[in-house]
Amino acid sequence: MLDIMKRILRTGMLSEALPGSEEHRVHVGTIHERLHDVFGRALRIRHVDAGSCNGCELEIQALGNPYYNLEGAGIAFVASPRHADVLMVTGPVSVNMEEALKQAYEVMPEPKWVIAVGDCGVCGGIFGTSYASRGAVANVIPVDATVPGCPPTPLALLQGLLLVTSSPRQS
């Protein structure tokens, strides 16, 4: 036990420093205001994991914490694509998820947006296109915006939601 304590004292802190909180909060607050201006009082997102490693899902879950406060901006995740305005897709589209992704897209009410999240969703990532993977989300359904990164930060995901507002809605 004493050896472990000595090693901890010798090594010190290994975690990264906290971000500049005030500047970051102003940026998140600005994005929330812009989202509210564009979408009005509510936006509903349906998340589909098309074959990811779950790295992107962890960052998407972080949007619900008190720091990013997605619900406070009037944005919520829904269980059914029939209630969604935005389809947020992570991972390369595996062969087994191809049909399910197409069905989720087709049952969404008009108008609708699709966001491909993470390097795998954007271009297929390290998996690419193979016998087991269709690669990028755009190979299966139309994509309105992409959020690259492995995994992308929650702030990048918020900016991706704003990015879809600059593209015309699917009709």
Side-chain angles (χ1 to χ4, degrees):
M1 179 72 157
L2 191 55
D3 290 338
I4 293 173
M5 294 301 286
K6 286 179 184 177
R7 193 173 340 150
I8 290 171
L9 289 173
R10 210 174 32 241
T11 305
M13 294 289 285
L14 296 178
S15 63
E16 49 190 60
L18 292 172
S21 62
E22 197 56 43
E23 177 184 319
H24 193 63
R25 275 181 211 197
V26 169
H27 198 58
V28 170
T30 305
I31 289 175
H32 280 193
E33 290 172 13
R34 175 86 171 106
L35 286 169
H36 186 71
D37 291 343
V38 171
F39 297 119
R41 60 185 173 87
L43 174 72
R44 300 296 174 239
I45 302 169
R46 170 66 175 137
H47 168 247
V48 175
D49 179 354
S52 75
C53 68
N54 291 332
C56 295
E57 281 73 12
L58 292 173
E59 299 301 321
I60 289 171
Q61 282 182 341
L63 290 174
N65 71 27
Y67 189 79
Y68 292 100
N69 193 19
L70 201 64
E71 293 274 341
I75 302 168
F77 287 89
V78 294
S80 171
R82 294 180 192 275
H83 304 137
D85 303 309
V86 174
L87 190 64
M88 190 177 281
V89 186
T90 57
V93 181
S94 67
V95 172
N96 295 332
M97 280 299 293
E98 180 180 15
E99 190 59 35
L101 181 60
K102 286 179 183 177
Q103 287 177 5
Y105 177 77
E106 293 193 13
V107 300
M108 286 178 66
E110 296 290 343
K112 53 190 164 188
W113 281 307
V114 176
I115 302 175
V117 176
D119 289 343
C120 295
V122 172
C123 65
I126 61 171
F127 305 102
T129 304
S130 69
Y131 70 94
S133 172
R134 298 292 183 238
V137 175
N139 295 344
V140 179
I141 59 174
V143 171
D144 298 299
T146 60
V147 182
C150 187
T153 63
L155 191 57
L157 293 168
L158 285 174
Q159 290 169 337
L161 285 171
L162 284 178
L163 185 61
V164 296
T165 63
S166 63
S167 66
R169 285 185 159 199
Q170 297 290 325
S171 48

